[in-house]
Each structure stands twice: as C-alpha cells, then as structure tokens.
Amino acid sequence: MNEFNYLIEVLRQRLHTAKLLYPLNFGLGERSSFLIYCLIREIKPKIIIETGVANGISTFFILNAIIRNGNGKLYSIDISKDVGAILSEEEKKIWNLIVINPKRRCLTKAIENILNKSNNRKIDMFIHDSNHTYRWQIFEYELIYPLLDEDGILVSDDIDFSYAFLDFIKKHSCKALGLFDRYKISGILRKNCKY
C-alpha cells in the first residue's frame, strides 16, 4: 500500500504538468489500478499485454510494478503514437509500444509477433482498455483467452459499456469478479479458475 500511495502522488503531479491529449476518464480508476499493481507485484508476470494507452495511467502502474519486480515486459498496443504522456523517460526505456491500424488482423498480427519474440509463447496478463464496443471486446477476449498461460489473468476496463464481458464468462464458464470504481466497472478473471 505504501508503494502504491507513493505512486499515486507521483501520478497526481504528472497529471498537473503533462500535456494530456485524452480525457482523464479514459484511464483506469484508482481501485482498478491498485488491483493491477498488486497482482503484478504478487504473481510477477513475464509477459503483459495491454490494449489502449491514452494518457498512460494503467501503463504507469504496470511499468512501476515491473520495475519493482525487476522482471517482466509490457507490450502496449494502441492505434496512435501520441499516447503515454505521463510516462517518464525511465519508464519509456522498458516500455514496448506497438502502434497498429484499428483492424482485427492488425491486432492478431501484433499479438503473434509479441509471442514469437517471447520464449514462453503464453501471455501471463492481458488488460483490455481499447475500443469498448461489444464486437471489439468479444474479439479481444476470444483472441487472447486461448493464448493466456494456464493461470493467466484477463482484466477488462469498462465492462459496463456492453454485455461482452458477461457473455464471454458465461460462454467459457469462467468465474470472474467485477470491481466498482468511482465511475466505471472493471472485470477480472483467472484462466481455469472455477471457484
């Protein structure tokens, strides 16, 4: 909690000084950020993929958890290169930003390239925070789920934008949690977790 509280203060300072190009509500809420930070610190994932960066709030917490762990890689996939305004130069040194066209085949190819670079060929954690339409959310979940490690974690921001997350967990008989943040709801599931 002390680590996270320190990072919250750093984040607040950066939000006041950085030139923000995206609305603040595009970023994860504080509770969701805390959950992701704690999960990364605890399970120490090697491969993390996030879709959607905006100002870089979730990216900031993910990268700082990786720095604390001393291990892991974050691949952020976005449709714009002008993302991550709040990230420091130190954080950007370990950050892998992949800019793609907003097409299914482009995301599929980006994921394939990431897995080809890694030795384990599995994703330990995936965070969806890009296009929140039903069709795109379902597409991302279905693309990523088989590629998750057997205990891999899938997090989705803004599951209240459509029924995609609920339909997905019902189809795959997954147990999932919903986290109510101040103004949004995030969903989380662990692959093969049935309790």
Side-chain angles (χ1 to χ4, degrees), residues 15-34:
L15 289 173
H16 289 295
T17 58
K19 182 181 177 186
L20 304 178
L21 301 176
Y22 300 92
L24 283 178
N25 67 345
F26 278 23
L28 283 178
E30 193 170 311
R31 291 178 185 152
S32 300
S33 297
F34 179 67

Side-chain angles (χ1 to χ4, degrees), residues 59-72:
T59 311
F60 167 78
F61 287 109
I62 296 165
L63 290 172
N64 277 282
I66 288 171
I67 290 167
R68 280 287 213 170
N69 287 346
N71 189 16

